Amino acid sequence: MAKNSKPRKKYRPKPVRFNCWERSDIEHLQAVFQEFELITEFKFPTGEANMDDMCCVRDVLNLCTLGMVTRDWLDRDEVKDCTPIVNAAGDAIKRCADRACDRNPDAPRFVFAGDELKAVRAGVAIAGPFIRDSLDESPTRLILEFYAMRHLTRGKDGRYAYTDEQLKRAIEQENDNIDWSHRHG
């Protein structure tokens, strides 16, 4: 018999949590990301894009850039070849948006020049397969990158100059928003 008079505390194991993704969640996300490819093919050439469409494509290009920078296991030569194309697409979207907002700030009409449209299509041709493959391989990583990208690009300044280490740290930080599902939102 124990000589101490205090009773022992009951053992309570710590819960272990990990992210599981249902196939329906991944398919929903793929449909959402596929929409931006359709926007670039149907709305951008005709000038029917609105501000939400522009923001959607901009965010997807930023997500692709963040993924290419922070994933150490990707082929560096391939990333080096793709990065300028995706950056040129983002610059083309910015130029078009600035021009449209300067002409008519109340109701901007986003009309791309020929070289801008080619740059955006080339960037989307890289970002689309990258994101679809990422959703199949590591959906949790892609969602973490999305929330990190959204946090970093919604800053107070218009400057987005981050080092590779700052981007990696933003993804590795504790993120409470990972329990997203299309059924709850």
Side-chain angles (χ1 to χ4, degrees), residues 25-60:
D25 289 339
I26 292 174
E27 288 171 356
H28 175 74
L29 285 173
Q30 285 178 338
V32 167
F33 284 118
Q34 189 174 20
E35 182 180 337
F36 83 90
E37 293 177 300
L38 295 173
I39 288 170
T40 59
E41 291 300 321
F42 294 119
K43 287 189 173 183
F44 282 179
T46 59
E48 297 174 5
N50 57 20
M51 185 62 85
D52 290 337
D53 298 333
M54 297 290 281
C55 291
C56 174
V57 174
R58 180 204 60 202
D59 286 346
V60 168

Side-chain angles (χ1 to χ4, degrees), residues 92-130:
I93 287 177
K94 184 179 181 326
R95 281 194 308 270
C96 179
D98 289 344
R99 189 172 55 241
C101 290
D102 287 343
R103 288 182 185 163
N104 188 359
D106 297 331
R109 182 171 165 86
F110 301 102
V111 179
F112 285 90
D115 58 338
E116 293 172 344
L117 186 60
K118 287 179 185 177
V120 171
R121 283 181 171 169
V124 167
I126 291 171
F130 178 80

Side-chain angles (χ1 to χ4, degrees), residues 2-9:
K3 293 184 180 180
N4 61 352
S5 59
K6 294 182 182 178
R8 292 181 151 226
K9 292 182 182 178

